[in-house]
Amino acid sequence: MCGICGFTQATQGDLPILQAMDDVMAHRGPDGEGCYIDEGIALGHRRLSLIDLSGGNQPMVRLTGEHASEITSPALDGQGNPFLGQAKACERGDWAIVFNGEIYNYRDLREQLQQEGWGFQTSSDTEVLLVGYLAWGEAVLDRLRGMFAFAIWEKKTHELFCARDFFGIKPFYYTVQDGQFIFASEIKCILEHPAYERRLNEDALEQYLCFQFSALDETFFKDIFKLPPATCMRVGQEGILSVRRYWRPEYAFDGSRPMADTVEAIDGAMRESVRYHNVADVEVGSFLSSGIDSSYMAACLAKENPGIKTFTVGFSEYSGERDEISWAGELADTLGIANTSHHITEDEYWESLPAVQWHMDEPSADPSAVALYFVDKLAATQVKAVLSGEGADEFFGGYRIYQVPFSNAKLSWAPKGLLRGASKAARALHVRGANYLERASETAEDWYYTNANGVAFSPQERERLRSGKRAAGQPAPAAPQQLTAPVYAEASELDEVTRMQYVDLFFWLVGDILLKTDKMSMAHSLESRVPFLDKRVFELSATVPTDQKVNEQQTKIALREAAERAIPQEWAQKEKLGFPVPVVSWLRQDRYYEQVKRAFASPTAERFFNTECLMELLDEHRAGADRSRKIWIVYMFLLWHRLFFEGGDERFRPAAQDLKR
């Protein structure tokens, strides 16, 4: 795993710009750096070495590809030596690539390419990706199994081909300024380019309040965009030439397959995926929480590597209780594997918040991102790569909110108008059940847009918070349902639960879960691999009928049974708890109440929000109502704004002595 950056319309004099972009993401790749500048293109790379430690340096250059006998070369310095040190323009080539991620089936693809007559000079997956593109063109994407964001330059046409993986595991940001295309793995790299002028995108703020993450293709920085998952683009010297979605999730439920066969297929697919995700020239460890996903995955990895290391964090408040650490430690003992754990203290958590938001690039209000920051930090002391359990919930029906359609069905006899009226009455009387009644009167398209439903601001609450604070001429923000509507339309023929899962693939998974997975691991120069988010695993999950995934009593039904083949039943059937962060209690303490209150009374808060509403949230929470997530959404935005728009980020930028030259 690495970091990439670059821009078109480049000249040899642009090396300092490229170097500055490379340097600001030094945390993504402490093992090497490289720069390639040729007429019209600049490409930068930071390397975290996991495959072909000596030969996989980037940018990687291919001198010609017309004949199978032609050689390839990694990025070279001015004397033709493999580039590992101070950035210099690399040897020219007909093609050059910068690549972030892992191609887990690269050995299979290499063998296919060799059979077609192609030669190789390294043992890296980067070279396989580049040669695969030369051999098969854009169709190489259909053959890949892995996580990736990459850019390939073709000198003859002066075109750049860029692509992002199927589920958006790896990030790819870009902007076009006066025809100049600028891209990077992190937004902060683009901010280093003088062609870009830093401006806040208030449309992103509007949706963040409802989603708790950046939900638009355009980021919090005006005119900086995210390349969507499973999308590729072709860029010329005057800007973007074409954008194409090369893959979309498709479902084909096999209702005739017995449950036992489904369980067998899931177990086989997961073991195969873990085997592929274990491909590396360094040791691969695993996270281990109390949940089924990481427990099952770690057990599968232990079959491949009996001496694996696992890592767990919890909170000091829960020390001595049946918490994440106690569950993980007990399972590790059962499996006979090593486990290292750490209880995060209250002070550690709060002191880390600025670093977390700086690494995230955009505001993130998910409190568990901080816990991930610490478990990544812990793992990085012993390994360079870990397996993590993201994606299991979206593929196999793990969120409890997916059970709502089953409970709603109990009221299918009632007129929708009656249910809506009862919901309004219950809400006015502060009686429990208002949300239940309202959802029973609607389809998923009407009420469900992400797992932030009910914890983030509703559109009505957003309006009260932002009324009178929008810039002149700024249109009213879209309702969250307007953003999700096109995705729901793609899944219109599927059942309600699967439509919810489908929407989560394009919003919650990529916008919250995978973003924090990438940014928090790379903050500590650690590669996080996600075996559930494998294209083959998805293809299998897409054949599992909904009633084998979730019902009113249980989530991840088939997956739990598959997990019982590797871990004890107590872990496989354990209720999903998420990661319990003590923010609710902390915000009622004087120390943190006052800290947040000062932020809510700041000129920045006054600029963007009705501060009277903010103070109400704080006081209601302190009085006993749980307003913690809404408070956190605003507080994280204010902290992020201070870092990126008020000069508060300097302490996180790498010092010159920390950069390897």
Side-chain angles (χ1 to χ4, degrees), residues 65-133:
E66 294 180 358
H67 305 289
S69 60
E70 295 294 344
I71 63 170
T72 60
S73 171
L76 305 177
D77 65 17
Q79 287 72 49
N81 301 312
F83 181 82
L84 289 172
Q86 184 176 358
K88 298 178 182 178
C90 304
E91 183 173 321
R92 306 300 181 266
D94 293 317
W95 285 272
I97 183 174
V98 283
F99 159 54
N100 171 30
E102 303 288 352
I103 306 302
Y104 299 117
N105 64 335
Y106 79 98
R107 292 171 179 168
D108 302 335
L109 297 178
R110 178 190 174 102
E111 184 176 341
Q112 294 173 30
L113 289 163
Q114 287 175 323
Q115 290 174 356
E116 293 184 15
W118 293 88
F120 292 85
Q121 291 294 310
T122 75
S123 300
S124 69
D125 56 342
T126 304
E127 187 179 7
V128 170
L129 178 57
L130 177 56
V131 175
Y133 177 74

Side-chain angles (χ1 to χ4, degrees), residues 57-70:
N57 303 304
Q58 298 184 45
M60 186 172 285
V61 177
R62 185 148 184 121
L63 302 181
T64 180
E66 294 180 358
H67 305 289
S69 60
E70 295 294 344

Side-chain angles (χ1 to χ4, degrees), residues 380-397:
T381 63
Q382 299 185 42
V383 297
K384 296 180 73 170
V386 290
L387 302 190
S388 191
E390 284 77 11
D393 292 315
E394 290 79 7
F395 283 13
F396 292 102

Side-chain angles (χ1 to χ4, degrees), residues 445-467:
E445 287 85 339
D446 298 321
W447 67 271
Y448 184 73
Y449 42 95
T450 71
N451 278 270
N453 285 60
V455 297
F457 292 94
S458 68
Q460 295 76 21
E461 291 169 329
R462 177 181 66 183
E463 185 59 32
R464 182 166 179 256
L465 190 63
R466 290 276 292 155
S467 179

Side-chain angles (χ1 to χ4, degrees), residues 334-353:
T334 301
L335 297 176
I337 57 179
N339 179 252
T340 303
S341 63
H342 172 68
H343 277 109
I344 304 166
T345 68
E346 187 177 305
D347 287 344
E348 282 179 322
Y349 188 95
W350 285 83
E351 289 168 3
S352 73
L353 293 178

Side-chain angles (χ1 to χ4, degrees), residues 268-288:
M270 277 307 302
R271 291 180 187 276
E272 181 190 71
S273 182
V274 167
R275 191 177 308 120
Y276 270 98
H277 283 69
N278 187 42
V279 172
D281 294 324
V282 298
E283 182 180 5
V284 178
S286 181
F287 292 146
L288 184 59

Side-chain angles (χ1 to χ4, degrees), residues 563-611:
E564 286 188 32
R565 298 177 175 222
I567 59 177
Q569 184 182 53
E570 186 178 3
W571 275 262
Q573 297 298 333
K574 183 175 176 291
E575 181 183 1
K576 183 177 180 63
L577 297 176
F579 197 90
V581 181
V583 170
V584 175
S585 59
W586 286 338
L587 289 173
R588 290 179 180 138
Q589 297 178 24
D590 288 346
R591 175 184 179 184
Y592 302 116
Y593 171 87
E594 293 297 336
Q595 179 175 320
V596 175
K597 186 175 182 179
R598 286 192 295 274
F600 282 6
S602 67
T604 303
E606 176 65 31
R607 174 185 168 189
F608 293 108
F609 308 109
N610 286 311
T611 54

Side-chain angles (χ1 to χ4, degrees), residues 210-283:
C210 292
F211 284 88
Q212 85 166 23
F213 57 84
S214 178
L216 302 175
D217 286 342
E218 186 176 18
T219 70
F220 265 79
F221 295 89
K222 194 67 178 173
D223 297 326
I224 296 181
F225 295 85
K226 296 169 275 193
L227 187 65
T231 301
C232 60
M233 65 165 56
R234 195 166 290 277
V235 181
Q237 285 299 287
E238 300 304 320
I240 298 171
L241 300 176
S242 63
V243 179
R244 179 176 70 88
R245 183 172 169 187
Y246 64 83
W247 178 83
R248 61 169 287 180
E250 295 182 351
Y251 295 81
F253 301 129
D254 186 353
S256 64
R257 183 176 55 204
M259 182 66 152
D261 292 351
T262 297
V263 169
E264 178 74 25
I266 291 173
D267 190 49
M270 277 307 302
R271 291 180 187 276
E272 181 190 71
S273 182
V274 167
R275 191 177 308 120
Y276 270 98
H277 283 69
N278 187 42
V279 172
D281 294 324
V282 298
E283 182 180 5

